[in-house]
Amino acid sequence: MDALPAQTTVLLRRGNASDPGRFERLVREIIRSYAVHLEYRWVMPDPAAGPGAAFLRDNEMVAASDLVLAFFAPGRMMEGGTGHVVESAIDKNVPVYSFILGETLARVGEHDPDAIWQQQVRAYFDAEEEL
């Protein structure tokens, strides 16, 4: 997060009636404590959108993003809402990098057809993987 420009806004998913997930809360705390040059914003589904509200929220988040970083738990690759976010990013041609976050961090996929973020993401996360 240190390499992101000041005033970058990190979009974090959450439900309307549920508490944010553990991972999202962790990212929020990292931003609050260590990455104070960044901003974060919770993005919730529009309750008026009906049963597909979460998918619409995910699509809107992707459309508003320059880069998507997706983190999956081991054994859950491309499951749930995070998988939908990755698929939406690919469909909208938004650069997306996917990782499995377990005992170590492993990059497991990417879609960055114009290589806009390739050098930055690979340099940072490849260094993290070696830790």
Side-chain angles (χ1 to χ4, degrees):
M1 288 189 194
D2 292 338
L4 292 172
Q7 306 308 312
T8 294
T9 300
V10 177
L11 303 178
L12 298 170
R13 298 167 66 236
R14 68 168 292 176
N16 287 322
S18 60
D19 290 334
R22 185 172 43 178
F23 180 80
E24 288 80 4
R25 290 191 317 264
L26 176 62
V27 171
R28 177 194 60 194
E29 290 309 311
I30 290 170
I31 291 170
R32 284 180 172 173
S33 300
Y34 304 105
V36 294
H37 68 289
L38 303 178
E39 298 175 7
Y40 71 91
R41 181 167 52 95
W42 294 110
V43 183
M44 298 176 284
D46 178 359
F55 287 109
L56 292 173
R57 174 212 45 212
D58 294 348
N59 288 334
E60 291 169 1
M61 285 179 63
V62 169
S65 298
D66 297 320
L67 170 67
V68 172
L69 300 176
F71 296 89
F72 294 91
R76 298 197 41 127
M77 186 64 185
M78 291 302 290
E79 288 187 12
T82 306
H84 176 254
V85 169
V86 170
E87 291 170 357
S88 180
I90 292 168
D91 290 347
K92 291 176 177 26
N93 215 28
V94 173
V96 57
Y97 289 80
S98 298
F99 303 87
I100 292 178
L101 183 58
E103 290 184 27
T104 61
L105 178 69
R107 190 177 70 243
V108 293
E110 61 190 63
H111 170 78
D112 190 354
D114 297 323
I116 296 169
W117 294 91
Q118 185 177 40
Q119 184 176 358
Q120 290 172 285
V121 171
R122 285 185 175 176
Y124 181 79
F125 284 104
D126 286 349
E128 289 293 310
E129 289 171 10
E130 294 171 5
L131 294 179

